[in-house]
């Protein structure tokens, strides 16, 4: 039995039956009581699942994720869901293959789900140029900013990929590297194209030539990066540093380098891109360009909600990434947090030691050349001298040299 049957039996319209089921106030009390009596006598139970689905659709956003194995997007989705919940919306995730057409998928989603808005995680500028005009709902392209796209219902939030990649390669050049390999996607991928151009910009500014033979083509996943690096090594490519266009690519490449008997960073320095959580907990800590993912997620949701609820115009927001390097040595209850070469005490330290006090300097050298001087910082107050003496003994075991007390 359906509400049409209840309408026929009660002599009321289908719209009236619907208003009674949804407990709308615009129904006369006697009519409401009559309809409810008919429903009880007929043993009719409203389809609450259908009602709930309709309610959810009225507050739903779809997140179209391009790339099923991109860990950066996995972390980013958590932040998007959290931000959407703050605004009273629920997110529906749709995963696509890295080479799929996200606009075709979005059109299908609009027909089936009818969400209030969409957020694209990754995408092809060409696909957007060719088909986004068919997408009618407010949308945001997150983690990608392009001046080649201009649609009234498409906002963009992300970093300047070209400038960020230039900063990454410039960092390697500043460390003395001249032969730098690059792993990334094809020119048809907008982020890959921009990051390659950024690498070229850095090399040109340093008077270097970008060597196409040192470019390894891969997808944004571990396995593809692993094979791309093995291909470079099989060609006997000579390089002392690697710029990986994502942290996932960097991890895949490092696995290949280590398998080939090379040490990271002693033989090959590696810098990634994205700043995924894993990059902060690997050993050694990965140097990488950190995208402000939490800020990108929050601003993407804010822009989308403004378009949905207030008809606000589309906007483009470009955020600044940060360079993540190995942190200063933190002495934490006997744990040495970095591989050291030479440690020099600032002076004889006596308890109590204040939090933030500099205890000495770590000097990293290679081939007689000083590469870095990093302060040794006490993260918290040290009340007992015996604790500090224990730390000194640990430092002696871990360092090449140590001054006498």
């Amino acid at each position: 039995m359906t509400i049409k049957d209840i309408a026929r039996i009660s002599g009321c319209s289908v719209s009236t039956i619907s208003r009674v089921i949804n407990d709308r106030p615009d129904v006369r009390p006697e009519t409401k009581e009559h309809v409810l009596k008919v429903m009880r006598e007929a043993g009719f139970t409203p389809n609450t699942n259908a009602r709930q689905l309709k309610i959810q659709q009225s507050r739903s956003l779809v997140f179209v994720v391009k790339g099923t194995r991109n860990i950066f997007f996995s972390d980013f989705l958590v932040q998007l869901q959290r931000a959407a919940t703050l605004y009273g919306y629920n997110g529906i995730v749709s995963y696509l293959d890295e080479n799929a057409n996200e606009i075709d998928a979005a059109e299908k989603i609009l027909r089936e789900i009818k969400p209030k808005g969409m957020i694209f995680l990754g995408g092809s500028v060409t696909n957007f140029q060719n088909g986004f005009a068919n997408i009618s709902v407010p949308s945001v392209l997150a983690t990608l900013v392009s001046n080649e796209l201009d649609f009234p219902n498409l906002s963009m939030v992300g970093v300047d990929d070209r400038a960020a990649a230039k900063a990454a390669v410039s960092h390697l050049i500043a460390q003395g590297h001249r032969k730098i390999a690059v792993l990334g996607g094809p020119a048809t991928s907008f982020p890959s194209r921009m990051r390659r151009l950024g690498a070229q910009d850095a090399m040109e500014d340093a008077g270097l030539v970008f060597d196409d033979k040192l470019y390894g083509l891969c997808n944004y996943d571990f396995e593809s990066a692993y094979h791309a690096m093995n291909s470079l090594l099989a060609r006997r490519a000579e390089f002392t540093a690697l710029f990986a266009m994502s942290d996932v690519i960097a991890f895949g490449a490092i696995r290949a380098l280590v398998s080939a008997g090379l040490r990271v960073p002693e033989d090959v320095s590696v810098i990634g891109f994205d700043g995924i959580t894993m990059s902060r907990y690997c050993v050694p800590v990965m140097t990488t360009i950190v995208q402000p993912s939490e800020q990108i997620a929050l601003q993407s949701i804010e822009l989308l909600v403004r378009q949905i609820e207030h008809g606000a115009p589309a906007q483009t927001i470009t955020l600044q990434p940060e360079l993540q390097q190995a942190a200063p040595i933190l002495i934490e209850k006997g744990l040495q947090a970095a591989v050291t070469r030479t440690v020099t005490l600032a002076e004889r330290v006596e308890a109590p030691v204040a939090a933030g006090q500099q205890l000495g300097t770590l000097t990293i050298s290679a081939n007689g050349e000083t590469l870095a001087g990093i302060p040794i910082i006490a993260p918290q107050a040290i009340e007992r001298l015996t604790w500090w003496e224990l730390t000194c003994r640990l430092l002696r075991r871990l360092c090449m040299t140590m001054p006498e007390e």
Side-chain angles (χ1 to χ4, degrees):
M1 181 170 287
T2 67
I3 62 171
K4 290 183 179 180
D5 297 317
I6 298 299
R8 177 177 51 79
I9 297 171
S10 65
C12 299
S13 67
V14 171
S15 61
T16 298
I17 305 302
S18 177
R19 290 199 298 273
V20 171
I21 291 173
N22 290 293
D23 199 23
R24 292 279 298 274
D26 54 346
V27 181
R28 289 185 301 176
E30 58 270 25
T31 301
K32 181 177 181 180
E33 181 56 35
H34 171 62
V35 170
L36 291 174
K37 180 180 178 182
V38 170
M39 290 171 59
R40 287 193 299 268
E41 292 176 349
F44 176 77
T45 302
N47 188 340
T48 56
N49 289 334
R51 290 174 58 206
Q52 185 62 29
L53 177 60
K54 186 173 181 180
I55 293 171
Q56 288 178 351
Q57 287 178 336
S58 69
R59 301 291 293 179
S60 68
L61 307 174
V62 171
F63 307 143
V64 181
V65 185
K66 192 167 184 180
T68 57
R69 292 189 281 182
N70 191 325
I71 294 179
F72 174 68
F73 285 159
S74 299
D75 294 343
F76 187 73
L77 272 173
V78 175
Q79 295 163 341
L80 268 184
Q81 292 279 20
R82 185 181 298 120
T85 301
L86 291 175
Y87 282 91
Y89 287 85
N90 60 290
I92 302 171
V93 182
S94 177
Y95 286 99
L96 306 177
D97 183 77
E98 192 169 317
N99 299 313
N101 187 312
E102 64 278 11
I103 303 303
D104 289 346
E107 289 188 63
K108 182 179 179 182
I109 291 169
L110 284 176
R111 290 193 299 268
E112 296 177 352
I113 301 179
K114 296 180 174 57
K116 287 293 185 179
M118 307 184 81
I119 293 181
F120 295 86
L121 276 66
S124 163
V125 170
T126 300
N127 289 344
F128 273 81
Q129 290 172 329
N130 293 338
F132 186 78
N134 297 325
I135 304 300
S136 57
V137 299
S139 302
V140 176
L141 181 52
T143 73
L144 191 157
V145 174
S146 172
N147 56 13
E148 300 175 19
L149 299 177
D150 184 16
F151 295 95
N153 60 324
L154 179 65
S155 294
M156 290 176 281
V157 183
V159 302
D160 184 332
D161 284 294
R162 185 168 183 170
K166 180 180 179 180
V169 176
S170 295
H171 175 76
L172 294 175
I173 293 172
Q175 301 303 311
H177 296 285
R178 295 296 179 266
K179 295 181 179 180
I180 302 172
V182 179
L183 289 188
T188 53
S189 163
F190 182 82
S192 297
R193 176 157 50 94
M194 290 297 103
R195 292 173 193 181
R196 176 168 176 157
L197 288 173
Q200 291 175 331
D201 292 341
M203 292 182 188
E204 289 175 5
D205 287 353
L208 304 176
V209 177
F210 187 92
D211 188 350
D212 289 330
K213 294 179 181 179
L214 292 181
Y215 187 86
L217 187 63
C218 66
N219 292 328
Y220 285 69
D221 63 70
F222 297 115
E223 184 177 1
S224 182
Y226 174 80
H227 291 306
M229 175 52 68
N230 277 334
S231 295
L232 284 181
L233 295 173
R235 297 200 303 266
R236 298 184 181 276
E238 295 183 2
F239 56 93
T240 62
L242 168 68
F243 167 49
M245 291 188 184
S246 78
D247 291 343
V248 169
I249 292 176
F251 282 118
I254 289 173
R255 184 68 182 88
L257 289 167
V258 173
S259 295
L262 297 170
R263 300 170 300 165
V264 178
E266 290 85 353
D267 298 320
V268 179
S269 294
V270 176
I271 186 168
F273 198 110
D274 284 338
I276 63 175
T277 302
M278 192 187 303
S279 71
R280 300 194 298 274
Y281 291 95
C282 62
V283 179
V285 171
M286 180 183 290
T287 299
T288 185
I289 296 295
V290 180
Q291 297 200 60
S293 57
E294 184 174 355
Q295 194 175 357
I296 294 174
L298 182 58
Q299 296 211 355
S300 294
I301 293 293
E302 286 179 349
L303 289 179
L304 190 60
V305 171
R306 287 175 193 165
Q307 291 183 68
I308 293 170
E309 298 182 358
H310 306 292
Q315 296 182 50
T316 296
I317 298 177
T318 304
L319 301 172
Q320 293 299 317
E322 295 182 356
L323 176 65
Q324 172 183 288
Q325 300 184 68
I329 297 176
L330 297 179
I331 300 176
E332 295 180 291
K333 296 187 178 180
L335 174 65
Q336 178 66 26
V339 176
T340 63
R341 290 297 179 268
T342 303
V343 170
T344 304
L345 294 182
E347 57 183 311
R348 183 177 180 84
V349 179
E350 305 226 353
V353 174
Q357 180 176 335
Q358 181 168 341
L359 305 177
T361 302
L362 163 68
T363 302
I364 301 177
S365 303
N367 298 323
E369 179 183 357
T370 299
L371 300 179
I374 304 173
I376 303 173
I377 305 297
Q380 60 187 32
I382 302 172
E383 300 293 341
R384 299 173 60 185
L385 184 60
T386 55
W387 184 86
W388 168 243
E389 290 173 340
L390 173 61
T391 304
C392 285
R393 287 197 290 271
L394 289 170
L395 285 172
R396 285 197 185 92
R397 288 200 296 269
L398 291 167
C399 301
M400 291 173 60
T401 62
M402 184 74 186
E404 293 294 327
E405 292 184 313

